[in-house]
Amino acid sequence: KAGVTQTPRYLIKTRGQQVTLSCSPISGHRSVSWYQQTPGQGLQFLFEYFSETQRNKGNFPGRFSGRQFSNSRSEMNVSTLELGDSALYLCASSKGLAANTYNEQFFGPGTRLTVL
Amino acid sequence: GESVGLHLPTLSVQEGDNSIINCAYSNSASDYFIWYKQESGKGPQFIIDIRSNMDKRQGQRVTVLLNKTVKHLSLQIAATQPGDSAVYFCAEKAQGGKLIFGQGTELSVKP
């Protein structure tokens, strides 16, 4: 069974631009969560999508948004990029059964975003 | 707010020794904890989990201990090997099922 895939793996942007990252979950998984990883803040939860609906959200500004398609693939978008948005963006998929329970999450390799 | 923190940012051990990685959490209502291992260039990988109704759980060469009184958990790795070199994160299940991660501890195994 293929794992979680993320594209692109590396990305360089300049301040003010916007970026879209893509995540393909494990086949059969309906939940996709996004995390931002930086040396200073560690792994921080961005949001979770389940059946094309945002089910959970972290404490990030509105510049960070996402969506999920009917095939469970997900994209996240960051608008008006800032230097501080440079990070590894990780996507994790799970079966997503019952919002308030834990379903084991399987992480992709991440997209390394550098903002210049 | 909710947070999970690690006591040591780096840990260096000799191959064959046992490793202990510690983690403190702040939400006493948390009922589920997970340890992840992240190797360079990869996403976090599940190692072992524990529910709050347990004090100890063992896996293959790994043991997780949970002390709810002081809100502390630890990961013990027996007979540490070079392949264990990685960053280790503890994570706490928060309301709604989302994960709150600690800062991470980098484990370095010297041959």
Side-chain angles (χ1 to χ4, degrees):
Chain A
K1 189 184 243 188
V4 178
T5 57
Q6 292 186 245
T7 56
R9 291 293 310 277
Y10 302 91
L11 204 51
I12 300 176
K13 291 284 187 179
T14 57
R15 281 180 296 175
Q17 288 186 310
Q18 73 164 10
V19 65
T20 299
L21 312 180
S22 180
C23 171
S24 293
I26 291 172
S27 178
H29 285 191
R30 297 170 63 189
S31 168
V32 172
S33 297
W34 288 90
Y35 295 84
Q36 181 195 64
Q37 186 174 26
T38 60
Q41 299 298 318
L43 270 156
Q44 292 188 293
F45 174 79
L46 280 156
F47 29 65
E48 180 205 3
Y49 285 86
F50 177 79
S51 291
E52 302 179 64
T53 301
Q54 189 180 86
R55 187 163 71 174
N56 219 332
K57 190 178 185 303
N59 298 321
F60 278 81
R63 299 185 298 107
F64 292 82
S65 63
R67 60 178 175 167
Q68 187 179 34
F69 302 94
S70 58
N71 61 357
S72 294
R73 189 177 70 85
S74 177
E75 290 181 346
M76 68 161 282
N77 184 77
V78 187
S79 62
T80 319
L81 283 165
E82 301 176 0
L83 295 178
D85 296 333
S86 293
L88 181 68
Y89 289 88
L90 290 159
C91 161
S93 79
S94 71
K95 292 180 180 178
L97 305 172
N100 202 33
T101 62
Y102 179 71
N103 300 268
E104 183 176 348
Q105 296 190 2
F106 297 83
F107 285 84
T111 293
R112 173 75 61 185
L113 172 64
T114 302
V115 182
L116 303 176
Chain B
E2 298 171 321
S3 66
V4 182
L6 292 169
H7 293 310
L8 297 173
T10 61
L11 177 64
S12 183
V13 301
Q14 203 70 37
E15 181 179 358
D17 287 351
N18 296 334
S19 303
I20 300 176
I21 301 171
N22 297 302
C23 178
Y25 62 95
S26 59
N27 187 350
S28 57
S30 295
D31 61 358
Y32 185 72
F33 304 89
I34 310 143
W35 280 100
Y36 282 90
K37 171 186 180 184
Q38 186 175 22
E39 296 173 284
S40 180
K42 297 182 180 179
Q45 180 184 10
F46 174 94
I47 302 174
I48 191 168
D49 58 1
I50 188 167
R51 296 194 179 277
S52 58
N53 60 354
M54 302 172 69
D55 297 322
K56 178 179 180 179
R57 189 155 189 238
Q58 288 184 294
Q60 187 177 11
R61 284 201 305 117
V62 295
T63 301
V64 55
L65 300 177
L66 176 62
N67 185 330
K68 295 180 289 293
T69 302
V70 294
K71 292 184 286 186
H72 180 272
L73 67 157
S74 66
L75 176 70
Q76 300 178 356
I77 304 174
T80 313
Q81 302 168 1
D84 295 327
S85 294
V87 178
Y88 290 81
F89 294 93
C90 63
E92 167 187 11
K93 182 180 74 68
Q95 186 178 6
K98 69 180 182 182
L99 293 179
I100 298 176
F101 284 82
Q103 288 291 327
T105 292
E106 183 172 6
L107 175 65
S108 176
V109 182
K110 296 178 289 185

